[in-house]
Structures are given as structure tokens and as C-alpha cells.
């Protein structure tokens, strides 16, 4: 499930994983501690080219919503005995901090915030890969100008039509066509209208 990008700093080998290992580990522990075992449905891990989804059958505490998970909250595991065993064995470091740790690890790894979902008895967390890299963008049938522009936005935060023209040495008409195509593919968002418009990355990106 894990793939690492290998690089070297001097003679030291550096491995950077597509998803932060501690966040994925925490998501799995949360699924174990909060699962409703009466239904007999196993925890499900779905792996896609640009995301991983952890799903389990369970219930949030009464009157809780996903919003409670995204801020500091009390620890109220669905299975307190299992949660306590995980805590005593050292797998859980602190109570009520699991979801915050997942978000923090994703931020530090430079990937989009995870998506937490709760509907009826379905609880899930979705990790989205940093798809804004040259290797992945080249699989989307983008032209070289578009790939260069997306990487420019990733570095600078935004791009205008004029900047697109300048970095690609192309015309206004071509820049407009290329940029609108990136919007259609849900890779970029257009902010503003006409000459004052600029483009930013759309988190989750293509297919997200």
C-alpha cells in the first residue's frame, strides 16, 4: 500500500511516503477502537491511484458530528476496553487527539487535509495524495505548458493569464484555452473575472 520516493542527502538515503505513516496508523487504530463489532462487517481499506479510504461501521457519541472530530474534544471511544488496551500498550499516545494528529501529520507532509465523513453508521476518513507532481500530471494527458503552469501554481500559490503567457512564451488565446481546460479538469479554480482573474490549485485535484 505504501510507496516511497527515494532521494539522498549526501550519503544518507531519504524516503518520503505518499501518505504520512503516523496518520495512516492513527486512522487504522481509530477504526479498531470505534468499530461496531455487532454487525460483523470488517474494516475496509480502499486504495486508489490518488487516495486511500478507511471505512468502518460504528457510531459517534450522541449529538456529535464530524465538526467535533476536527477540534479539541473529549475521548469517548465506542469500545472503551479496546481503546484502553491500545493506550496501555502504547499504540495510542493520548486520549481524544487522534483526528487532530491525523490532520497535523497531513499538513506537515504537505498533502491535502483528510476528509472525515459520518453518515448513519458509516464512519470514514479519506487521505488524498499530493497529486501536483510532474509524474502524475503527465498521466492526465496535459500538454507541457499546462504541466509547467500547475507546478508554477504549486510553488507560487496562483497564476494569472499573463504569467501563463510569460512562462510558456505563448499567446493570450492559447493561455486562456489551456487554463480553462485545467478548470474543467478540476485541477485549477478560477478566482475573479476577466483581466483580474487568477487561478489556484483545487485541493483533491483531478478525480478527487
Amino acid at each position: 500500500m505504501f510507496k516511497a520516493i527515494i532521494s539522498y542527502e549526501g550519503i544518507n538515503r531519504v524516503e518520503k511516503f505518499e501518505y504520512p505513516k503516523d496518520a495512516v496508523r492513527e486512522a487504522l487504530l481509530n477504526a479498531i477502537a470505534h468499530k461496531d463489532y455487532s454487525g460483523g462487517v470488517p474494516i475496509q481499506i480502499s486504495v486508489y491511484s490518488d487516495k486511500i479510504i478507511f471505512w468502518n461501521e460504528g457510531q459517534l457519541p450522541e449529538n456529535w458530528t464530524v465538526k467535533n472530530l476536527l477540534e479539541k474534544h473529549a475521548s469517548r471511544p465506542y469500545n472503551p476496553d479496546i481503546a484502553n488496551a491500545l493506550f496501555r500498550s502504547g499504540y495510542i499516545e493520548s486520549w481524544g487527539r487522534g483526528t487532530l494528529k491525523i490532520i497535523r501529520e497531513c499538513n506537515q507532509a504537505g498533502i491535502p487535509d483528510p476528509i472525515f465523513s459520518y453518515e448513519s453508521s458509516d464512519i470514514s476518513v479519506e487521505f488524498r495524495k499530493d497529486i501536483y507532481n510532474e509524474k502524475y500530471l503527465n498521466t492526465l494527458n496535459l500538454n507541457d505548458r499546462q504541466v509547467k503552469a500547475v507546478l508554477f501554481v504549486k510553488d507560487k500559490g496562483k497564476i494569472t493569464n499573463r504569467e501563463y503567457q510569460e512562462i510558456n512564451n505563448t499567446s493570450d488565446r492559447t493561455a486562456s484555452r489551456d487554463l480553462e481546460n485545467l478548470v474543467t479538469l478540476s485541477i485549477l479554480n478560477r478566482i475573479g473575472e476577466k483581466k483580474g482573474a487568477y487561478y489556484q490549485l483545487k485541493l483533491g485535484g483531478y478525480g478527487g
Side-chain angles (χ1 to χ4, degrees):
M1 182 171 71
F2 279 118
K3 293 182 179 179
I5 298 174
I6 308 299
S7 61
Y8 290 87
E9 294 180 357
I11 62 172
N12 297 314
R13 174 186 168 113
V14 178
E15 294 185 354
K16 182 178 180 181
F17 290 92
E18 295 174 325
Y19 306 96
K21 293 178 67 175
D22 286 347
V24 171
R25 175 177 176 270
E26 194 71 31
L28 180 57
L29 292 175
N30 279 353
I32 293 171
H34 293 280
K35 174 176 164 48
D36 182 355
Y37 289 92
S38 65
V41 181
I43 295 169
Q44 298 178 21
I45 304 174
S46 302
V47 182
Y48 302 90
S49 62
D50 62 341
K51 60 189 175 185
I52 297 178
I53 301 175
F54 287 80
W55 175 93
N56 66 283
E57 186 175 26
Q59 299 287 338
L60 290 181
E62 187 177 0
N63 298 321
W64 277 35
T65 66
V66 169
K67 184 176 183 295
N68 294 95
L69 302 177
L70 304 181
E71 54 193 28
K72 186 177 180 180
H73 58 273
S75 177
R76 297 174 62 183
Y78 192 78
N79 301 290
D81 290 340
I82 293 177
N84 189 49
L86 292 173
F87 177 74
R88 288 179 175 275
S89 61
Y91 288 108
I92 295 177
E93 296 178 0
S94 59
W95 296 103
R97 300 292 184 271
T99 51
L100 298 180
K101 179 179 180 180
I102 290 172
I103 295 170
R104 184 180 69 250
E105 291 291 335
C106 288
N107 289 336
Q108 291 177 351
I111 66 174
D113 284 353
I115 299 174
F116 294 91
S117 300
Y118 175 62
E119 184 174 352
S120 184
S121 61
D122 294 345
I123 301 176
S124 67
V125 56
E126 176 181 325
F127 294 96
R128 296 169 294 164
K129 189 186 300 184
D130 174 12
I131 62 174
Y132 304 114
N133 59 75
E134 187 171 358
K135 181 179 179 181
Y136 183 78
L137 292 172
N138 282 328
T139 70
L140 305 181
N141 295 319
L142 304 181
N143 60 49
D144 291 341
R145 297 185 303 273
Q146 290 173 313
V147 172
K148 188 175 182 179
V150 172
L151 296 177
F152 178 92
V153 179
K154 180 180 178 180
D155 181 48
K156 303 296 184 180
K158 64 180 181 179
I159 192 171
T160 63
N161 184 294
R162 179 169 294 278
E163 287 172 328
Y164 191 99
Q165 295 177 54
E166 290 174 353
I167 67 172
N168 285 304
N169 191 27
T170 192
S171 67
D172 173 80
R173 183 176 180 180
T174 297
S176 296
R177 184 180 65 246
D178 284 355
L179 286 166
E180 288 306 313
N181 178 246
L182 290 170
V183 171
T184 300
L185 292 174
S186 295
I187 296 174
L188 296 183
N189 275 333
R190 181 154 70 98
I191 312 296
E193 299 293 334
K194 299 181 179 179
K195 291 185 178 181
Y198 60 90
Y199 299 80
Q200 293 181 318
L201 294 178
K202 181 174 182 179
L203 289 182
Y206 187 93

